[in-house]
Amino acid sequence: MRALHDSGQHGELSHLHEEAATRPLPLEARRFHLTHAWVYALVEGDAPHVARLEDQLRVLGGL
Amino acid sequence: MLDIRDIAQGLRSAMGPIEEANGLPSPLYTSAEGFELERKQLFHAGWTCIAYGKDVPHPGDAKPVSFLGAPLLVLRDRDGAVRVYENVCRHRGMILVDAPRNFGGVIRCPYHSWCYSLDGKLRATPHVGGPGINRHDSINPDETGLTPVRAAIWMDCIFVDVSGTAPAFDDWIAPLAARWADFTDKPLYPGAGSSFTLDVHCNWKLAIENYCESYHLPWVHPGLNSYSKLEDHYHIEAPGAFSGQGTVVYNPKLSDTQSFPNFADLPAKWDTGAEYVSLFPNLMLGIHRDHMFAIRLDPISHERTIENVDIWYASEEAATSDAYAELRATNAAMWKDIFIEDISVVEGMQKGRHATNFDGGRFSAVMDSPTHVFHAWVAQRLHG
Ligand code: FES
Ligand SMILES: [Fe+2]
């Protein structure tokens, strides 16, 4: 993930964070991952993905 | 420390009638304080060219510009409009964009990842309310977007007014737009391989004042003078706005077999006419029936100036096709040679300005009036 951070592959990063958020983690950790997934989806300009992540974040109180 | 009172008399003299006037006082050429005064009262107090539209050709393209120290971001939005913002994050003031690039999505601040859309809106504030909580009542996105800078584009030149108090751009540009109305409604195509820069060790004003007069042509540009003589030139003077010179014998032979297409529907006077204008403060333009060039001055310090040269053509084919590549290269090389010929005189005048007793110099009342128009403009803006 660190290598991706520097590589400009934001779509990939977004999906990795989103995937991490599906693991059985405390709510705070899932929200944290979804936040990063959301930011990188915004950077990627992937509007449908952004909308999906915003829905999830709202449910978890992140937006 | 330079005090405006120290140069007030010199400024008043520069505004006087040309027969009596001296040129601008030397501290405006040789001191950092003079440069700072101009930054505040000329460059950051009115319309100034900071980039070309061709620098950000595609939606999402962004170019950071240091405008005499003020960090600006020029970008083309999704609808193709050029926008200019302060290149600074509204959070803790981090520079947002440090090199030209394209944004497919938002602009993310490299520090804490606040994100802005290309229309300047604050789009995301990750963790602003604590880990994983991405909003907070104290940060209203509607009030915390990128700070827009008043901007306009004309003849593919991008102008800003960072003060926000200059006259409306259309009013400001109206005198030159009227003069060149034959061209202003025509599309311009940036020439491939037609950009170059010159790094000149002189105050920016020397480049302007040299550009707007034809007096030096026979001495400094003997090649040019062989087909375009001094007597074929006339002065262009719009006090308070621009000055320059025109020729009635523009007809260079770049090739025996090929020429560039002309802009459509030009009146006959442009068949052999061309005009060269310094639009105050920092843009030098040349207009011809088949191409336009611009030299945008980026003043780096009181004694160093970058000249950014670009050439535009009348058709896409002339501007980009391989068929015209050689002709474009020849044209760019011709202009570059001429602009390089000017470097020794503008750098020489920069050295001359250090002479302790130099009074700003006298003008030829006949040949130097475009230069005097420029000096009077500077003096008026500094002195009020
Ligand atoms: S300074 Fe830009 S997000 Fe903090
Ligand atoms: Fe010249």
Side-chain angles (χ1 to χ4, degrees):
Chain A
M1 221 178 248
R2 168 146 308 151
L4 281 175
H5 259 277
D6 301 327
S7 71
Q9 294 169 40
H10 301 110
E12 184 82 348
L13 260 176
S14 179
H15 285 289
L16 282 174
H17 277 293
E18 188 179 17
E19 206 175 289
T22 63
R23 294 204 306 260
L25 295 168
L27 178 145
E28 289 78 10
R30 286 171 53 217
R31 205 165 57 188
F32 187 94
H33 278 300
L34 284 173
T35 294
H36 286 239
W38 171 57
V39 166
Y40 290 116
L42 279 165
V43 171
E44 187 72 8
D46 183 345
H49 194 200
V50 168
R52 206 165 69 228
L53 290 162
E54 288 182 344
D55 287 342
Q56 296 185 58
L57 277 166
R58 250 176 239 116
V59 170
L60 299 184
L63 264 180
Chain B
M1 179 68 196
L2 181 74
D3 189 313
I4 190 81
R5 282 166 298 198
D6 297 341
I7 56 168
Q9 196 193 329
L11 294 177
R12 277 195 298 274
S13 171
M15 288 186 279
I18 189 168
E19 295 80 1
E20 294 158 24
N22 285 104
L24 291 165
S26 286
L28 293 177
Y29 296 77
T30 57
S31 74
E33 290 92 345
F35 188 66
E36 172 61 13
L37 193 67
E38 292 177 339
R39 184 184 67 78
K40 276 199 224 127
Q41 288 182 232
L42 301 182
F43 293 99
H44 286 183
W47 292 104
T48 304
C49 182
I50 58 158
Y52 301 127
K54 63 166 278 297
D55 298 342
V56 286
H58 307 297
D61 283 349
K63 182 188 180 188
V65 170
S66 172
F67 174 36
L68 284 89
L72 301 182
L73 182 65
V74 177
L75 67 79
R76 198 171 288 272
D77 71 15
R78 303 272 174 244
D79 299 326
V82 169
R83 296 172 181 251
V84 180
Y85 299 104
E86 293 198 339
N87 186 12
V88 59
C89 179
R90 291 292 305 275
H91 178 216
R92 303 308 315 137
M94 175 73 184
I95 286 285
L96 274 180
V97 181
D98 64 359
R101 52 162 295 181
N102 181 271
F103 288 97
V106 295
I107 301 168
R108 179 176 69 92
C109 176
Y111 200 176
H112 312 94
S113 287
W114 286 22
C115 297
Y116 303 87
S117 41
L118 297 192
D119 61 8
K121 289 210 179 75
L122 180 59
R123 185 63 181 81
T125 50
H127 311 307
V128 71
I133 301 180
N134 303 305
R135 57 176 167 70
H136 191 274
D137 286 347
S138 64
I139 302 295
N140 179 351
D142 293 335
E143 293 169 357
T144 324
L146 296 180
T147 304
V149 174
R150 210 169 166 217
I153 184 163
W154 180 80
M155 300 289 273
D156 211 35
C157 297
I158 298 170
F159 298 83
V160 292
D161 162 35
V162 295
S163 74
T165 61
F169 180 79
D170 288 349
D171 294 340
W172 179 77
I173 200 69
L176 186 55
R179 182 173 192 98
W180 285 354
D182 296 332
F183 295 92
T184 51
D185 59 339
K186 313 270 158 60
L188 291 169
Y189 299 89
S194 301
S195 308
F196 57 94
T197 60
L198 299 170
D199 190 340
V200 188
H201 291 267
C202 77
N203 185 272
W204 64 277
K205 294 189 293 305
L206 293 170
I208 294 285
E209 49 200 75
N210 172 65
Y211 185 76
C212 60
E213 54 105 321
S214 54
Y215 192 5
H216 70 287
L217 299 185
W219 314 109
V220 177
H221 308 294
L224 191 61
N225 196 61
S226 65
Y227 72 87
S228 179
K229 299 198 183 317
L230 192 51
E231 57 268 33
D232 298 325
H233 290 78
Y234 55 90
H235 298 335
I236 297 170
E237 293 169 44
F242 59 86
S243 66
Q245 38 130 347
T247 174
V248 295
V249 297
Y250 169 71
N251 192 23
K253 255 224 155 330
L254 297 174
S255 150
D256 288 333
T257 54
Q258 204 185 15
S259 59
F260 292 116
N262 293 336
F263 290 102
D265 308 319
L266 290 179
K269 71 168 180 178
W270 295 108
D271 289 352
T272 59
E275 294 194 340
Y276 306 93
V277 155
S278 298
L279 176 62
F280 310 152
N282 71 327
L283 186 62
M284 314 194 292
L285 296 166
I287 199 94
H288 319 78
R289 57 179 155 71
D290 55 357
H291 71 285
M292 175 185 97
F293 67 71
I295 311 171
R296 188 188 77 248
L297 302 180
D298 287 344
I300 305 300
S301 74
H302 60 279
E303 54 195 353
R304 185 175 164 223
T305 303
I306 306 284
E307 302 186 354
N308 302 275
V309 185
D310 263 285
I311 306 174
W312 290 257
Y313 292 95
S315 76
E316 177 94 55
E317 201 201 353
T320 58
S321 74
D322 288 346
Y324 281 97
E326 210 176 305
L327 201 63
R328 283 196 306 271
T330 306
N331 193 35
M334 178 194 78
W335 284 120
K336 190 171 186 176
D337 286 347
I338 291 171
F339 302 153
I340 287 174
E341 284 174 342
D342 284 313
I343 290 180
S344 70
V345 291
V346 294
E347 291 189 341
M349 285 192 287
Q350 181 66 30
K351 290 186 186 131
R353 280 287 183 165
H354 287 271
T356 313
N357 295 303
F358 183 65
D359 59 3
R362 302 306 314 280
F363 294 104
S364 156
V366 177
M367 300 304 293
D368 284 326
S369 48
T371 306
H372 179 244
V373 166
F374 172 61
H375 277 220
W377 175 81
V378 172
Q380 205 276 328
R381 290 285 294 270
L382 296 182
H383 190 270

